[in-house]
Amino acid sequence: MIASAKSTLQTLSLTSSFISSDKESERYKTVSVKIRIHKDLRKTLDFVREVENAGVDFITVHGRMRSTRSSEPVNLDAIKLVKEHARVPIVANGDVFSRADVERIVSETGVDGVMSARGLLEEPGLFARSPTLTTSKNHSAAVGEGSDDDQSQDNRWEVLETFLNNVIRAPIPFKLVVHHISEMVGSDRLQTGRGLIGTLFTKEERAALMECKSFLEVLDLVDGVRGVRRF
């Protein structure tokens, strides 16, 4: 399980109690925490020591403060500092969009693992032995006008369709649906040419997605971009 906490004395005590209780309730349960760094890194290290003493199995560190925008670079020095002082495995989180990012972060911080969120929405095969995408593609190739070889490497439409079907079966808040899809079809990072893969939506199509007011409108837009009819 994952517990998320602010680095305050009150939360330290509560989180430690929660971890200890959870570990005692089931002998072989794995308990982890995911944290962001504090402006005062000493408080971050205090939190790490506290949850280690409580029995946490590993810690995921997002290298940004709560107030830091996702557009700002992740603080790898802070993650490295945590790794150097920790007794349990440390997983780095933040700015993981490619295998090169994974290798760079591990090399610079010495962490035991890497976690990705937005990167996996953009590239579902990020951690796979055979990546979903291995070459840059323009929009036309992504929506079905590329070569057969290109299409064999790109299953992002299939992944998006799986997500849509899951939403139908188990609805989640509409804003969250739009947010996830906006990352899956091509984020601002890729639109500006800094990514390694092409986008499923053009910038204009992504803007239209953000204007959708219902899930049916989202389905109509997705099907229109793909050139298919769902119903």
Side-chain angles (χ1 to χ4, degrees), residues 33-227:
V33 297
K34 181 176 184 291
I35 64 172
R36 284 180 177 252
I37 59 174
H38 195 281
K39 183 177 182 180
D40 182 350
L41 290 178
R42 291 173 298 182
K43 293 185 177 181
T44 302
L45 296 180
D46 287 343
F47 180 85
V48 169
R49 281 191 290 269
E50 188 75 18
V51 296
E52 283 180 330
N53 292 336
V56 74
D57 293 286
F58 68 91
I59 302 170
T60 300
V61 182
H62 186 119
R64 294 186 177 93
M65 297 182 293
R66 294 186 69 202
S67 59
T68 307
R69 293 180 177 274
S70 60
S71 57
E72 297 181 34
V74 69
N75 188 339
L76 294 181
D77 288 336
I79 297 177
K80 180 180 180 181
L81 181 67
V82 172
K83 171 57 184 174
E84 290 173 344
H85 287 79
R87 304 192 305 269
V88 298
I90 298 297
V91 176
N93 177 227
D95 289 352
V96 182
F97 296 101
S98 68
R99 291 192 180 189
D101 290 334
V102 172
E103 294 172 359
R104 174 178 55 84
I105 291 171
V106 171
S107 174
E108 293 185 21
T109 64
V111 292
D112 304 281
V114 174
M115 171 187 172
S116 177
R118 290 178 297 153
L120 282 172
L121 289 174
E122 291 179 2
E123 162 57 311
L126 178 61
F127 294 143
R129 288 184 178 275
S130 298
T132 306
L133 292 172
T134 57
T135 59
S136 297
K137 297 182 178 63
N138 57 26
H139 173 70
S140 62
V143 298
E145 299 174 8
S147 67
D148 291 339
D149 182 60
D150 279 344
Q151 290 300 299
S152 68
Q153 299 178 53
D154 188 350
N155 70 350
R156 287 178 297 161
W157 282 117
E158 179 183 346
V159 173
L160 176 56
E161 187 66 25
T162 298
F163 173 72
L164 294 173
N165 288 333
N166 287 339
V167 170
I168 293 173
R169 288 194 295 267
I172 59 176
F174 180 67
K175 287 185 178 181
L176 192 57
V177 173
V178 172
H179 169 74
H180 275 53
I181 294 176
S182 69
E183 295 289 345
M184 297 172 80
V185 299
S187 69
D188 290 335
R189 190 181 68 86
L190 297 182
Q191 297 283 5
T192 54
R194 295 194 298 272
L196 300 178
I197 59 178
T199 60
L200 299 183
F201 276 25
T202 63
K203 188 173 183 179
E204 292 73 21
E205 289 163 347
R206 188 163 174 254
L209 171 67
M210 306 308 291
E211 295 297 321
C212 288
K213 303 300 182 184
S214 70
F215 186 64
L216 285 178
E217 288 186 18
V218 170
L219 290 179
D220 286 342
L221 176 62
V222 171
D223 292 349
V225 173
R226 294 189 69 184

Side-chain angles (χ1 to χ4, degrees), residues 22-37:
D22 223 43
K23 292 289 288 186
E24 292 172 1
S25 66
E26 192 170 334
R27 184 177 178 184
Y28 298 107
K29 178 180 290 185
T30 297
V31 179
S32 69
V33 297
K34 181 176 184 291
I35 64 172
R36 284 180 177 252
I37 59 174

